[in-house]
Amino acid sequence: MTARILVVDDEPDLEALILQKFRHQLRDGTVSFLFARDGIDALNALKANGDIDLVVTDINMPRMDGLTLLQKLQETEERLSTIIVSAYGDMKNIRTAMNRGAFDFVTKPIDFNSLRDEIDTRVERAA
């Protein structure tokens, strides 16, 4: 089974970095990624791709931030598992994210080994 992951972040370098850090899983076919630049693009991507297993989203983005996106995701029937990523690990953001149903909270700079473990855990639970 291939886990489909939507990554939402307005930093263009993150896409290349994720593709590089997950190259073995991409080659093995265990994961595939879609990318969106903000919450509005993410909601459109979700409508167009109904088979997303996990959302990884930054908090601070233009147009729609990650916490608003998380709230909208929790209002849907699917209630997609979501990992929140932020450069700011303050308790207010962590508490808000967890109260809105986030699966986990990761701070930047991203520890990709930790993120890979979180993705693997979430995918195993969904299987």
Side-chain angles (χ1 to χ4, degrees):
M1 177 181 120
T2 300
R4 303 239 325 147
I5 302 165
L6 174 61
V7 178
V8 189
D9 198 305
D10 60 329
E11 294 181 26
D13 296 341
L14 186 62
E15 182 175 340
L17 191 56
I18 285 179
L19 293 175
Q20 191 267 331
K21 294 292 185 179
F22 286 87
R23 67 186 178 280
H24 297 295
Q25 291 86 346
L26 287 163
R27 190 175 336 122
D28 294 345
T30 56
V31 298
S32 67
F33 291 95
L34 293 171
F35 296 90
R37 298 287 177 224
D38 61 38
I40 293 171
D41 288 344
L43 291 174
N44 291 332
L46 288 166
K47 285 179 188 173
N49 301 278
D51 58 348
I52 302 297
D53 298 301
L54 176 69
V55 176
V56 178
T57 183
D58 190 20
I59 289 181
N60 294 317
M61 297 177 292
R63 299 196 309 162
M64 181 188 292
D65 65 57
L67 293 174
T68 303
L69 172 62
L70 176 61
Q71 183 175 351
K72 292 195 177 294
L73 293 175
Q74 293 306 308
E75 292 169 357
T76 66
E77 285 184 29
E78 295 86 26
R79 293 185 178 240
L80 285 171
S81 293
T82 305
I83 297 174
I84 295 289
V85 179
S86 178
Y88 312 101
D90 65 83
M91 284 306 296
K92 181 179 177 188
N93 280 336
I94 293 170
R95 191 173 300 114
T96 300
M98 294 308 191
N99 286 339
R100 292 186 184 178
F103 173 68
D104 199 5
F105 190 97
V106 177
T107 56
K108 290 182 179 180
I110 297 172
D111 175 345
F112 283 96
N113 289 327
S114 176
L115 181 61
R116 189 176 302 112
D117 291 344
E118 292 301 326
I119 288 171
D120 289 346
T121 298
R122 187 66 236 153
V123 170
E124 287 173 10
R125 287 184 184 176

mmCIF file of all heavy atoms in Angstrom, residues 53-88:
data_model
loop_
_atom_site.group_PDB
_atom_site.id
_atom_site.type_symbol
_atom_site.label_atom_id
_atom_site.label_comp_id
_atom_site.label_asym_id
_atom_site.label_seq_id
_atom_site.Cartn_x
_atom_site.Cartn_y
_atom_site.Cartn_z
ATOM 1 N N ASP A 53 -3.946 10.121 2.746
ATOM 2 C CA ASP A 53 -3.913 9.420 4.026
ATOM 3 C C ASP A 53 -3.494 10.313 5.186
ATOM 4 O O ASP A 53 -3.861 10.058 6.335
ATOM 5 C CB ASP A 53 -2.933 8.235 3.954
ATOM 6 C CG ASP A 53 -3.350 7.225 2.921
ATOM 7 O OD1 ASP A 53 -4.470 6.690 3.040
ATOM 8 O OD2 ASP A 53 -2.570 6.971 1.983
ATOM 9 N N LEU A 54 -2.698 11.338 4.894
ATOM 10 C CA LEU A 54 -2.102 12.151 5.951
ATOM 11 C C LEU A 54 -1.806 13.540 5.413
ATOM 12 O O LEU A 54 -1.416 13.686 4.257
ATOM 13 C CB LEU A 54 -0.798 11.494 6.427
ATOM 14 C CG LEU A 54 0.047 12.206 7.468
ATOM 15 C CD1 LEU A 54 -0.665 12.219 8.813
ATOM 16 C CD2 LEU A 54 1.395 11.504 7.609
ATOM 17 N N VAL A 55 -1.996 14.555 6.271
ATOM 18 C CA VAL A 55 -1.654 15.929 5.919
ATOM 19 C C VAL A 55 -0.557 16.387 6.861
ATOM 20 O O VAL A 55 -0.655 16.211 8.082
ATOM 21 C CB VAL A 55 -2.877 16.862 6.035
ATOM 22 C CG1 VAL A 55 -2.480 18.309 5.762
ATOM 23 C CG2 VAL A 55 -3.981 16.426 5.082
ATOM 24 N N VAL A 56 0.497 16.960 6.290
ATOM 25 C CA VAL A 56 1.572 17.585 7.060
ATOM 26 C C VAL A 56 1.544 19.056 6.691
ATOM 27 O O VAL A 56 1.754 19.403 5.531
ATOM 28 C CB VAL A 56 2.958 16.971 6.716
ATOM 29 C CG1 VAL A 56 4.061 17.673 7.497
ATOM 30 C CG2 VAL A 56 2.968 15.471 6.980
ATOM 31 N N THR A 57 1.229 19.929 7.664
ATOM 32 C CA THR A 57 1.047 21.333 7.334
ATOM 33 C C THR A 57 1.800 22.277 8.260
ATOM 34 O O THR A 57 1.867 22.049 9.468
ATOM 35 C CB THR A 57 -0.457 21.712 7.319
ATOM 36 O OG1 THR A 57 -0.593 23.085 6.929
ATOM 37 C CG2 THR A 57 -1.117 21.517 8.666
ATOM 38 N N ASP A 58 2.349 23.306 7.654
ATOM 39 C CA ASP A 58 2.957 24.395 8.392
ATOM 40 C C ASP A 58 1.839 25.216 9.031
ATOM 41 O O ASP A 58 0.679 25.136 8.613
ATOM 42 C CB ASP A 58 3.769 25.259 7.421
ATOM 43 C CG ASP A 58 4.637 26.294 8.118
ATOM 44 O OD1 ASP A 58 4.933 26.136 9.318
ATOM 45 O OD2 ASP A 58 5.033 27.274 7.455
ATOM 46 N N ILE A 59 2.175 26.023 10.041
ATOM 47 C CA ILE A 59 1.169 26.903 10.639
ATOM 48 C C ILE A 59 1.094 28.223 9.885
ATOM 49 O O ILE A 59 0.037 28.627 9.425
ATOM 50 C CB ILE A 59 1.455 27.156 12.133
ATOM 51 C CG1 ILE A 59 1.174 25.895 12.942
ATOM 52 C CG2 ILE A 59 0.602 28.317 12.656
ATOM 53 C CD1 ILE A 59 1.407 26.036 14.427
ATOM 54 N N ASN A 60 2.228 28.903 9.744
ATOM 55 C CA ASN A 60 2.232 30.251 9.173
ATOM 56 C C ASN A 60 2.343 30.203 7.656
ATOM 57 O O ASN A 60 3.399 29.865 7.116
ATOM 58 C CB ASN A 60 3.383 31.070 9.763
ATOM 59 C CG ASN A 60 3.187 31.331 11.236
ATOM 60 O OD1 ASN A 60 2.083 31.650 11.655
ATOM 61 N ND2 ASN A 60 4.228 31.175 12.012
ATOM 62 N N MET A 61 1.208 30.534 6.996
ATOM 63 C CA MET A 61 1.156 30.573 5.535
ATOM 64 C C MET A 61 0.202 31.685 5.127
ATOM 65 O O MET A 61 -0.668 32.067 5.910
ATOM 66 C CB MET A 61 0.642 29.230 4.980
ATOM 67 C CG MET A 61 1.522 28.048 5.278
ATOM 68 S SD MET A 61 0.797 26.506 4.676
ATOM 69 C CE MET A 61 -0.636 26.298 5.734
ATOM 70 N N PRO A 62 0.341 32.171 3.887
ATOM 71 C CA PRO A 62 -0.605 33.193 3.415
ATOM 72 C C PRO A 62 -1.978 32.584 3.154
ATOM 73 O O PRO A 62 -2.129 31.369 3.095
ATOM 74 C CB PRO A 62 0.036 33.682 2.112
ATOM 75 C CG PRO A 62 0.878 32.537 1.647
ATOM 76 C CD PRO A 62 1.353 31.841 2.892
ATOM 77 N N ARG A 63 -2.956 33.424 3.014
ATOM 78 C CA ARG A 63 -4.348 33.104 2.679
ATOM 79 C C ARG A 63 -5.054 32.259 3.735
ATOM 80 O O ARG A 63 -6.066 32.667 4.256
ATOM 81 C CB ARG A 63 -4.482 32.468 1.305
ATOM 82 C CG ARG A 63 -3.994 33.369 0.189
ATOM 83 C CD ARG A 63 -4.426 32.969 -1.173
ATOM 84 N NE ARG A 63 -4.165 31.585 -1.512
ATOM 85 C CZ ARG A 63 -4.759 30.957 -2.514
ATOM 86 N NH1 ARG A 63 -5.643 31.584 -3.263
ATOM 87 N NH2 ARG A 63 -4.462 29.701 -2.795
ATOM 88 N N MET A 64 -4.576 31.060 4.052
ATOM 89 C CA MET A 64 -5.168 30.239 5.112
ATOM 90 C C MET A 64 -4.040 29.537 5.852
ATOM 91 O O MET A 64 -3.281 28.780 5.263
ATOM 92 C CB MET A 64 -6.137 29.200 4.544
ATOM 93 C CG MET A 64 -6.790 28.343 5.644
ATOM 94 S SD MET A 64 -7.759 26.957 5.024
ATOM 95 C CE MET A 64 -9.111 27.812 4.247
ATOM 96 N N ASP A 65 -3.954 29.778 7.157
ATOM 97 C CA ASP A 65 -2.882 29.171 7.950
ATOM 98 C C ASP A 65 -3.196 27.717 8.285
ATOM 99 O O ASP A 65 -4.301 27.228 8.051
ATOM 100 C CB ASP A 65 -2.613 29.991 9.212
ATOM 101 C CG ASP A 65 -3.800 29.998 10.169
ATOM 102 O OD1 ASP A 65 -4.242 28.905 10.579
ATOM 103 O OD2 ASP A 65 -4.268 31.092 10.516
ATOM 104 N N GLY A 66 -2.209 27.038 8.834
ATOM 105 C CA GLY A 66 -2.341 25.619 9.122
ATOM 106 C C GLY A 66 -3.344 25.280 10.210
ATOM 107 O O GLY A 66 -3.985 24.233 10.160
ATOM 108 N N LEU A 67 -3.486 26.157 11.215
ATOM 109 C CA LEU A 67 -4.455 25.881 12.275
ATOM 110 C C LEU A 67 -5.889 26.001 11.763
ATOM 111 O O LEU A 67 -6.761 25.217 12.147
ATOM 112 C CB LEU A 67 -4.220 26.810 13.470
ATOM 113 C CG LEU A 67 -2.901 26.563 14.222
ATOM 114 C CD1 LEU A 67 -2.698 27.618 15.300
ATOM 115 C CD2 LEU A 67 -2.836 25.161 14.801
ATOM 116 N N THR A 68 -6.122 26.947 10.861
ATOM 117 C CA THR A 68 -7.452 27.063 10.241
ATOM 118 C C THR A 68 -7.710 25.856 9.343
ATOM 119 O O THR A 68 -8.803 25.282 9.348
ATOM 120 C CB THR A 68 -7.557 28.370 9.442
ATOM 121 O OG1 THR A 68 -7.289 29.469 10.319
ATOM 122 C CG2 THR A 68 -8.936 28.529 8.823
ATOM 123 N N LEU A 69 -6.697 25.457 8.580
ATOM 124 C CA LEU A 69 -6.820 24.253 7.749
ATOM 125 C C LEU A 69 -7.137 23.040 8.619
ATOM 126 O O LEU A 69 -8.040 22.249 8.292
ATOM 127 C CB LEU A 69 -5.536 24.017 6.951
ATOM 128 C CG LEU A 69 -5.463 22.696 6.181
ATOM 129 C CD1 LEU A 69 -6.558 22.610 5.121
ATOM 130 C CD2 LEU A 69 -4.083 22.537 5.547
ATOM 131 N N LEU A 70 -6.433 22.889 9.721
ATOM 132 C CA LEU A 70 -6.668 21.766 10.623
ATOM 133 C C LEU A 70 -8.109 21.752 11.109
ATOM 134 O O LEU A 70 -8.765 20.706 11.130
ATOM 135 C CB LEU A 70 -5.702 21.843 11.809
ATOM 136 C CG LEU A 70 -5.873 20.796 12.904
ATOM 137 C CD1 LEU A 70 -5.681 19.387 12.363
ATOM 138 C CD2 LEU A 70 -4.896 21.078 14.032
ATOM 139 N N GLN A 71 -8.626 22.906 11.478
ATOM 140 C CA GLN A 71 -10.010 22.991 11.929
ATOM 141 C C GLN A 71 -10.968 22.557 10.823
ATOM 142 O O GLN A 71 -11.907 21.799 11.058
ATOM 143 C CB GLN A 71 -10.331 24.419 12.369
ATOM 144 C CG GLN A 71 -11.731 24.580 12.912
ATOM 145 C CD GLN A 71 -11.965 25.982 13.443
ATOM 146 O OE1 GLN A 71 -11.051 26.789 13.562
ATOM 147 N NE2 GLN A 71 -13.202 26.280 13.757
ATOM 148 N N LYS A 72 -10.723 23.011 9.597
ATOM 149 C CA LYS A 72 -11.589 22.630 8.473
ATOM 150 C C LYS A 72 -11.502 21.127 8.199
ATOM 151 O O LYS A 72 -12.499 20.495 7.867
ATOM 152 C CB LYS A 72 -11.243 23.445 7.240
ATOM 153 C CG LYS A 72 -11.616 24.917 7.410
ATOM 154 C CD LYS A 72 -11.612 25.639 6.101
ATOM 155 C CE LYS A 72 -12.061 27.063 6.268
ATOM 156 N NZ LYS A 72 -13.460 27.213 6.670
ATOM 157 N N LEU A 73 -10.323 20.548 8.337
ATOM 158 C CA LEU A 73 -10.161 19.110 8.127
ATOM 159 C C LEU A 73 -10.926 18.309 9.172
ATOM 160 O O LEU A 73 -11.478 17.250 8.870
ATOM 161 C CB LEU A 73 -8.681 18.723 8.171
ATOM 162 C CG LEU A 73 -7.813 19.247 7.039
ATOM 163 C CD1 LEU A 73 -6.352 18.883 7.278
ATOM 164 C CD2 LEU A 73 -8.288 18.725 5.696
ATOM 165 N N GLN A 74 -10.973 18.807 10.389
ATOM 166 C CA GLN A 74 -11.667 18.090 11.456
ATOM 167 C C GLN A 74 -13.186 18.200 11.323
ATOM 168 O O GLN A 74 -13.916 17.414 11.927
ATOM 169 C CB GLN A 74 -11.208 18.594 12.824
ATOM 170 C CG GLN A 74 -9.754 18.265 13.116
ATOM 171 C CD GLN A 74 -9.445 16.782 12.968
ATOM 172 O OE1 GLN A 74 -10.112 15.929 13.528
ATOM 173 N NE2 GLN A 74 -8.439 16.461 12.175
ATOM 174 N N GLU A 75 -13.657 19.160 10.534
ATOM 175 C CA GLU A 75 -15.094 19.321 10.307
ATOM 176 C C GLU A 75 -15.615 18.380 9.227
ATOM 177 O O GLU A 75 -16.817 18.258 9.037
ATOM 178 C CB GLU A 75 -15.398 20.775 9.924
ATOM 179 C CG GLU A 75 -15.162 21.752 11.064
ATOM 180 C CD GLU A 75 -15.212 23.206 10.631
ATOM 181 O OE1 GLU A 75 -15.374 23.491 9.411
ATOM 182 O OE2 GLU A 75 -15.078 24.073 11.512
ATOM 183 N N THR A 76 -14.713 17.700 8.521
ATOM 184 C CA THR A 76 -15.131 16.781 7.466
ATOM 185 C C THR A 76 -15.351 15.384 8.045
ATOM 186 O O THR A 76 -14.895 15.075 9.149
ATOM 187 C CB THR A 76 -14.073 16.686 6.346
ATOM 188 O OG1 THR A 76 -12.884 16.091 6.879
ATOM 189 C CG2 THR A 76 -13.762 18.058 5.769
ATOM 190 N N GLU A 77 -16.013 14.548 7.285
ATOM 191 C CA GLU A 77 -16.270 13.173 7.727
ATOM 192 C C GLU A 77 -14.987 12.359 7.836
ATOM 193 O O GLU A 77 -14.872 11.498 8.681
ATOM 194 C CB GLU A 77 -17.231 12.478 6.762
ATOM 195 C CG GLU A 77 -18.659 12.937 6.901
ATOM 196 C CD GLU A 77 -19.588 12.161 5.989
ATOM 197 O OE1 GLU A 77 -19.301 10.990 5.681
ATOM 198 O OE2 GLU A 77 -20.613 12.740 5.586
ATOM 199 N N GLU A 78 -14.025 12.629 6.946
ATOM 200 C CA GLU A 78 -12.805 11.830 6.922
ATOM 201 C C GLU A 78 -11.908 12.094 8.125
ATOM 202 O O GLU A 78 -11.162 11.218 8.546
ATOM 203 C CB GLU A 78 -12.002 12.093 5.637
ATOM 204 C CG GLU A 78 -12.693 11.656 4.379
ATOM 205 C CD GLU A 78 -13.633 12.736 3.861
ATOM 206 O OE1 GLU A 78 -13.412 13.932 4.138
ATOM 207 O OE2 GLU A 78 -14.613 12.390 3.187
ATOM 208 N N ARG A 79 -11.931 13.314 8.650
ATOM 209 C CA ARG A 79 -11.064 13.711 9.769
ATOM 210 C C ARG A 79 -9.647 13.198 9.556
ATOM 211 O O ARG A 79 -9.138 12.372 10.327
ATOM 212 C CB ARG A 79 -11.613 13.220 11.100
ATOM 213 C CG ARG A 79 -12.896 13.903 11.468
ATOM 214 C CD ARG A 79 -13.345 13.481 12.841
ATOM 215 N NE ARG A 79 -14.539 14.187 13.192
ATOM 216 C CZ ARG A 79 -14.650 14.990 14.237
ATOM 217 N NH1 ARG A 79 -13.635 15.158 15.028
ATOM 218 N NH2 ARG A 79 -15.771 15.602 14.477
ATOM 219 N N LEU A 80 -9.019 13.684 8.516
ATOM 220 C CA LEU A 80 -7.685 13.244 8.148
ATOM 221 C C LEU A 80 -6.678 13.468 9.257
ATOM 222 O O LEU A 80 -6.702 14.496 9.930
ATOM 223 C CB LEU A 80 -7.214 14.001 6.902
ATOM 224 C CG LEU A 80 -7.839 13.570 5.595
ATOM 225 C CD1 LEU A 80 -7.451 14.544 4.488
ATOM 226 C CD2 LEU A 80 -7.393 12.176 5.233
ATOM 227 N N SER A 81 -5.799 12.512 9.434
ATOM 228 C CA SER A 81 -4.705 12.677 10.386
ATOM 229 C C SER A 81 -3.812 13.803 9.900
ATOM 230 O O SER A 81 -3.506 13.893 8.710
ATOM 231 C CB SER A 81 -3.891 11.390 10.491
ATOM 232 O OG SER A 81 -4.674 10.383 11.071
ATOM 233 N N THR A 82 -3.406 14.646 10.834
ATOM 234 C CA THR A 82 -2.633 15.823 10.476
ATOM 235 C C THR A 82 -1.457 15.997 11.425
ATOM 236 O O THR A 82 -1.620 15.881 12.643
ATOM 237 C CB THR A 82 -3.521 17.086 10.532
ATOM 238 O OG1 THR A 82 -4.667 16.876 9.704
ATOM 239 C CG2 THR A 82 -2.775 18.316 10.058
ATOM 240 N N ILE A 83 -0.301 16.291 10.846
ATOM 241 C CA ILE A 83 0.882 16.665 11.614
ATOM 242 C C ILE A 83 1.114 18.141 11.359
ATOM 243 O O ILE A 83 1.191 18.578 10.212
ATOM 244 C CB ILE A 83 2.117 15.842 11.189
ATOM 245 C CG1 ILE A 83 1.899 14.352 11.487
ATOM 246 C CG2 ILE A 83 3.370 16.363 11.900
ATOM 247 C CD1 ILE A 83 3.008 13.448 10.963
ATOM 248 N N ILE A 84 1.213 18.919 12.435
ATOM 249 C CA ILE A 84 1.461 20.352 12.334
ATOM 250 C C ILE A 84 2.960 20.608 12.446
ATOM 251 O O ILE A 84 3.626 20.036 13.310
ATOM 252 C CB ILE A 84 0.711 21.113 13.457
ATOM 253 C CG1 ILE A 84 -0.796 20.981 13.293
ATOM 254 C CG2 ILE A 84 1.131 22.573 13.505
ATOM 255 C CD1 ILE A 84 -1.381 21.740 12.127
ATOM 256 N N VAL A 85 3.465 21.474 11.565
ATOM 257 C CA VAL A 85 4.876 21.856 11.570
ATOM 258 C C VAL A 85 4.954 23.356 11.796
ATOM 259 O O VAL A 85 4.215 24.111 11.172
ATOM 260 C CB VAL A 85 5.559 21.505 10.228
ATOM 261 C CG1 VAL A 85 7.017 21.922 10.248
ATOM 262 C CG2 VAL A 85 5.417 20.027 9.919
ATOM 263 N N SER A 86 5.843 23.766 12.695
ATOM 264 C CA SER A 86 5.986 25.199 12.947
ATOM 265 C C SER A 86 7.404 25.540 13.372
ATOM 266 O O SER A 86 8.071 24.740 14.026
ATOM 267 C CB SER A 86 5.021 25.656 14.041
ATOM 268 O OG SER A 86 5.195 27.032 14.308
ATOM 269 N N ALA A 87 7.829 26.731 12.993
ATOM 270 C CA ALA A 87 9.120 27.232 13.450
ATOM 271 C C ALA A 87 9.026 27.660 14.908
ATOM 272 O O ALA A 87 10.028 27.857 15.574
ATOM 273 C CB ALA A 87 9.567 28.403 12.584
ATOM 274 N N TYR A 88 7.801 27.802 15.392
ATOM 275 C CA TYR A 88 7.573 28.278 16.748
ATOM 276 C C TYR A 88 6.948 27.170 17.571
ATOM 277 O O TYR A 88 5.818 26.789 17.331
ATOM 278 C CB TYR A 88 6.654 29.501 16.737
ATOM 279 C CG TYR A 88 7.096 30.522 15.720
ATOM 280 C CD1 TYR A 88 6.448 30.621 14.491
ATOM 281 C CD2 TYR A 88 8.184 31.343 15.962
ATOM 282 C CE1 TYR A 88 6.861 31.540 13.538
ATOM 283 C CE2 TYR A 88 8.612 32.260 15.009
ATOM 284 C CZ TYR A 88 7.943 32.352 13.811
ATOM 285 O OH TYR A 88 8.360 33.244 12.866
#
